[in-house]
Amino acid sequence: MNDTTIKYVNKTGKVLDPHIIPSDPDVHLAPYVLKPGEEGYISAEGIINKEPDTYNVKVKINPIKPASNVQSLKIKGDAMSQEKENHILHIKGTATNNTKEPTEYILVGGALYGKQNEFIGTIFQSEEAQLTPGKSIPFDATSSQIPDKELAKVKKYKVVASTYQE
């Protein structure tokens, strides 16, 4: 991931903060390694102090040899719900280690979309998970950073789970 750069750019093209790096603890990427043409999700909540409608995010990912040890996990029973009290959106489900090796952690990431498939935001959960092959673990990916007016537009989602095996 050291070859990836993230820049927040305002409407006129001016870079707002050139110091965002993917290793920052508030930056989440899922899957962590992308194959050519593969879709991924990014969240950089709280990194800059701007309202969501005042910037666009541009991500540049330089090609590197894909790591063969990043594996997709099988997801079952996923469903979206929203808390009425604090409006936090949840995507819950089960991730199964469908690989031949034990896992040490899982990363769940997803994208939220509106009725016309317009992108609204991302959700994430990472967790240490000692899963032997065939074992499962529940997940609850959330995002508390999306404004309520945007959460009200969410109608669809996509979610992925992955693990990195050494």
Side-chain angles (χ1 to χ4, degrees), residues 46-66:
I47 294 293
I48 64 172
N49 188 19
K50 299 286 182 183
E51 292 297 320
D53 60 356
T54 62
Y55 62 85
N56 289 323
V57 177
K58 293 185 178 182
V59 178
K60 178 182 178 184
I61 302 174
N62 295 324
I64 58 173
K65 183 179 178 184

Side-chain angles (χ1 to χ4, degrees), residues 39 41 75-82 89-94 108-124 139-143 146 151 153-161:
E39 185 176 75
Y41 309 113
I75 293 178
K76 291 193 296 188
D78 55 296
M80 181 173 63
S81 64
Q82 188 172 350
L89 191 127
H90 296 262
I91 297 179
K92 296 180 181 181
T94 302
V108 176
L112 306 173
Y113 299 94
K115 186 168 50 173
Q116 303 298 321
N117 292 322
E118 67 276 16
F119 176 75
I120 294 174
T122 55
I123 53 96
F124 285 90
F139 64 83
D140 181 1
T142 64
S143 179
I146 299 174
L151 280 178
K153 299 175 187 176
V154 175
K155 302 295 181 205
K156 304 173 189 175
Y157 68 90
K158 290 183 184 177
V159 65
V160 297

Side-chain angles (χ1 to χ4, degrees), residues 1-153:
M1 270 319 200
N2 294 335
D3 293 334
T4 303
T5 58
I6 301 169
K7 293 181 181 177
Y8 286 87
V9 181
N10 69 11
K11 292 177 182 177
T12 64
K14 179 182 175 194
V15 174
L16 298 175
D17 189 340
H19 306 292
I20 305 300
I21 55 172
S23 61
D24 188 299
D26 291 326
V27 175
H28 306 285
L29 303 164
Y32 195 66
V33 174
L34 298 175
K35 296 174 185 166
E38 184 177 16
E39 185 176 75
Y41 309 113
I42 183 169
S43 173
E45 297 173 347
I47 294 293
I48 64 172
N49 188 19
K50 299 286 182 183
E51 292 297 320
D53 60 356
T54 62
Y55 62 85
N56 289 323
V57 177
K58 293 185 178 182
V59 178
K60 178 182 178 184
I61 302 174
N62 295 324
I64 58 173
K65 183 179 178 184
S68 60
N69 46 4
V70 175
Q71 302 289 326
S72 294
L73 301 178
K74 186 176 181 180
I75 293 178
K76 291 193 296 188
D78 55 296
M80 181 173 63
S81 64
Q82 188 172 350
E83 296 178 24
K84 293 184 193 280
E85 187 176 297
N86 58 15
H87 305 283
I88 295 174
L89 191 127
H90 296 262
I91 297 179
K92 296 180 181 181
T94 302
T96 301
N97 181 0
N98 54 312
T99 73
K100 295 179 181 179
E101 300 292 327
T103 68
E104 293 188 21
Y105 76 90
I106 63 167
L107 175 62
V108 176
L112 306 173
Y113 299 94
K115 186 168 50 173
Q116 303 298 321
N117 292 322
E118 67 276 16
F119 176 75
I120 294 174
T122 55
I123 53 96
F124 285 90
Q125 179 191 3
S126 60
E127 186 170 320
E128 289 186 21
Q130 303 287 331
L131 295 178
T132 56
K135 297 295 181 184
S136 300
I137 188 171
F139 64 83
D140 181 1
T142 64
S143 179
S144 59
Q145 300 294 322
I146 299 174
D148 290 348
K149 70 177 185 174
E150 296 301 316
L151 280 178
K153 299 175 187 176

